[in-house]
Amino acid sequence: MRIGVCPGSFDPVTCGHLDIFERASKMFDVLIVAVFHNPNKKPLFSMEERVELLRDATTHIPNIRVDGFSGLLNEYVHSQNSNVIVRGLRALSDFEYEFQRALLIKNVDPSMETVFMMTSSDYSFVSSSGIKELAKFGGAITGLVPRCIEQKVVERLRER
């Protein structure tokens, strides 16, 4: 069975993320979308909330499983019986950062492989941080995040 792991913070999940999930899911029998808990960040949503939001946003993709994890990525990927990491890229600047991370993981664990996928040009400008900033100042995020979570993002930012 071919299992791919697509890790990230997904705070919040965007339509660009969904584009990658939909396309990557065709390459694997199972695609695990793994929400990373980074203790150094203060996310808009808790890890548990992000897992739930991702489950809601990916119900249309039958071979996706959403999970949360903390710790070393290579150890998590192995625990899921995989050695393939899927990373989405929006621009050349993403590639430089992700390429360095992939080389570091490969150095730590030579069995790990990283697959890079470019998002659709429709979403190349969309980032979670950009979504939060836009929504914080009252801008419309319709079409940039999955419809099922749009209101939750707006409400959470109003609470802050």
Side-chain angles (χ1 to χ4, degrees):
M1 178 177 290
R2 294 170 305 158
I3 300 171
V5 177
C6 189
S9 56
F10 309 115
D11 186 45
V13 62
T14 70
C15 290
H17 292 131
L18 281 184
D19 174 58
I20 296 294
F21 303 156
E22 290 165 354
R23 292 176 27 238
S25 71
K26 296 173 184 166
M27 299 169 58
F28 300 96
D29 299 311
V30 176
L31 180 67
I32 300 169
V33 176
V35 179
F36 176 66
H37 170 68
N38 185 341
N40 298 324
K41 288 189 176 182
K42 289 198 163 231
L44 185 61
F45 295 99
S46 71
M47 183 171 68
E48 294 78 13
E49 289 171 320
R50 286 179 278 151
V51 166
E52 197 55 43
L53 293 172
L54 275 158
R55 286 183 178 146
D56 290 346
T58 59
T59 57
H60 66 289
I61 310 171
N63 63 327
I64 278 195
R65 183 164 54 89
V66 180
D67 194 16
F69 80 100
S70 60
L72 292 175
L73 177 58
N74 64 304
E75 291 177 1
Y76 174 78
V77 173
H78 282 303
S79 77
Q80 302 303 306
N81 298 314
S82 180
N83 70 329
V84 181
I85 299 166
V86 177
R87 299 297 297 175
L89 302 174
R90 293 169 298 165
L92 188 57
S93 57
D94 285 350
F95 176 75
E96 291 177 34
Y97 174 76
E98 294 296 344
F99 184 67
Q100 287 179 349
R101 287 181 59 183
L103 289 176
L104 178 61
I105 289 174
K106 188 76 164 169
N107 181 270
V108 170
D109 187 339
S111 71
M112 238 358 87
E113 296 296 343
T114 301
V115 174
F116 296 111
M117 294 185 71
M118 294 301 301
T119 192
S120 163
S121 59
D122 294 341
Y123 305 113
S124 62
F125 63 93
V126 178
S127 67
S128 294
S129 58
I131 295 296
K132 289 184 276 195
E133 185 175 338
L134 184 61
K136 179 180 179 181
F137 292 105
I141 58 173
T142 302
L144 304 178
V145 298
R147 202 171 268 249
C148 63
I149 72 156
E150 182 178 341
Q151 195 57 39
K152 293 174 183 169
V153 172
V154 171
E155 288 170 4
R156 180 58 54 92
L157 284 164
R158 279 190 196 140
E159 293 170 4
R160 291 188 167 188

